[in-house]
Amino acid sequence: MRNFTLFSSAILSLLFLSSCYTEVILEDVFIEETPLQTRQVLEAYDLWYVDIQSTEGNGEVPYLQRAFTLSFVNGLLYANNNISGIGKTGNGLGIRVGYYDTGLGILEIDHDVDGLWSLEVFSVNGRTIELYDRRSNTSYYLDGYQRSNFDYDRLFYENIELLLQEYDVWEKTFVSNTGFANEFDEENFLQFFEGNAGTRFRSSVDAPGTPLSNVVWDYEGFYEIYDVQNDETLKTLTLDYAFMGNDYFELYVIDDNTIELYHPDSETVYEFRGRGYIQFLKSESSSEGKKRKKSDRPTMNVKRQRK
């Protein structure tokens, strides 16, 4: 988040003539100013991952708050607003959401829904840029990737709650032959959503293949996702069943519409596939209130049990 006084243009010109670059430390963040044009910086990578955890400030830029990635291509702005389909939608770039133009250190965005925005661009290092919105005094940090080396594991596991909520229903499609019989064996449908009091889930014992409109929810309760200490690619999930206590699972992402739940108590593996894909386009019209936010997941100190 920027907090500094602008120099006059005359002083800046003298500074520029005295050296091919200047090194400035702002609020303990090292910034290297170079004469590279802003457009060249933005177009150097296919995808810019919006690292929402690093956001600074109390304001908001709506389209940055929704996007997982941005792409800048010949004046056209693209965004991936969904996890599901990322890497395939728009040949990996997502959907076109607006237009952009650049000046020296300035990015002008004309977003199809959110209108005109002027953002200041700072190079943090060779792979990271800062987009600063002066109106809200808020900074977003974006990491650059080519499509061939984009870190999909990072995206899925950092945003696992949103993946679970991108489908109306998760239907059980597989149960391992090994494992002990338990009450969760009967559950064939799960639904995850944000409730007034926190993250909620519903479950149903309706037969596999039941049309979504006919699914009857037998139970509703709270769920919680946990980070695991020293294991970035493992999340754990608890489902709060009042009649049998918390059911505990290791949660794995198989692909963008398949998850695996491993139940350590019974040593059973379940797979669920998403049904009823909810696509987030340029605005929140398809799912009002969908925005990314900093994760405040609790952490478990457990060891991975799935072999």
Side-chain angles (χ1 to χ4, degrees), residues 113-130:
V113 172
D114 297 319
L116 296 171
W117 294 77
S118 181
L119 304 174
E120 296 174 37
V121 183
F122 299 91
S123 177
V124 178
N125 57 48
R127 260 196 56 204
T128 303
I129 58 173
E130 174 190 352

Side-chain angles (χ1 to χ4, degrees), residues 251-265:
L251 171 60
Y252 299 95
V253 177
I254 304 302
D255 56 40
D256 59 3
N257 75 336
T258 309
I259 59 172
E260 177 184 290
L261 300 181
Y262 175 66
H263 191 241
D265 285 349

Side-chain angles (χ1 to χ4, degrees), residues 36-82:
L36 290 176
Q37 295 297 313
T38 305
R39 180 180 288 263
Q40 290 176 297
V41 173
L42 294 173
E43 296 178 355
Y45 290 96
D46 296 332
L47 298 167
W48 290 96
Y49 176 68
V50 183
D51 183 5
I52 210 73
Q53 291 295 111
S54 297
T55 304
E56 296 179 332
N58 297 319
E60 183 179 279
V61 178
Y63 57 90
L64 289 176
Q65 204 71 32
R66 287 192 291 267
F68 294 101
T69 70
L70 293 180
S71 297
F72 302 91
V73 184
N74 299 324
L76 301 178
L77 178 65
Y78 293 84
N80 276 298
N81 294 331
N82 279 84

Side-chain angles (χ1 to χ4, degrees), residues 164 170 172 182-185 187-193 199-204 217 219-226 236-251 259-265 270 272 300:
L164 295 182
W170 291 87
K172 185 190 293 178
N182 69 95
E183 291 182 272
F184 191 76
D185 287 342
E187 306 289 1
N188 290 318
F189 293 93
L190 294 173
Q191 183 182 68
F192 300 92
F193 60 98
T199 51
R200 308 280 292 180
F201 81 98
R202 295 188 179 109
S203 63
S204 173
W217 299 110
Y219 182 80
E220 180 176 325
F222 291 99
Y223 78 91
E224 186 83 73
I225 294 176
Y226 296 82
T236 61
L237 169 70
T238 60
L239 302 179
D240 182 12
Y241 282 100
F243 56 89
M244 60 181 181
N246 282 355
D247 233 347
Y248 168 78
F249 303 88
E250 293 181 354
L251 171 60
I259 59 172
E260 177 184 290
L261 300 181
Y262 175 66
H263 191 241
D265 285 349
Y270 306 95
F272 285 81
M300 276 190 177

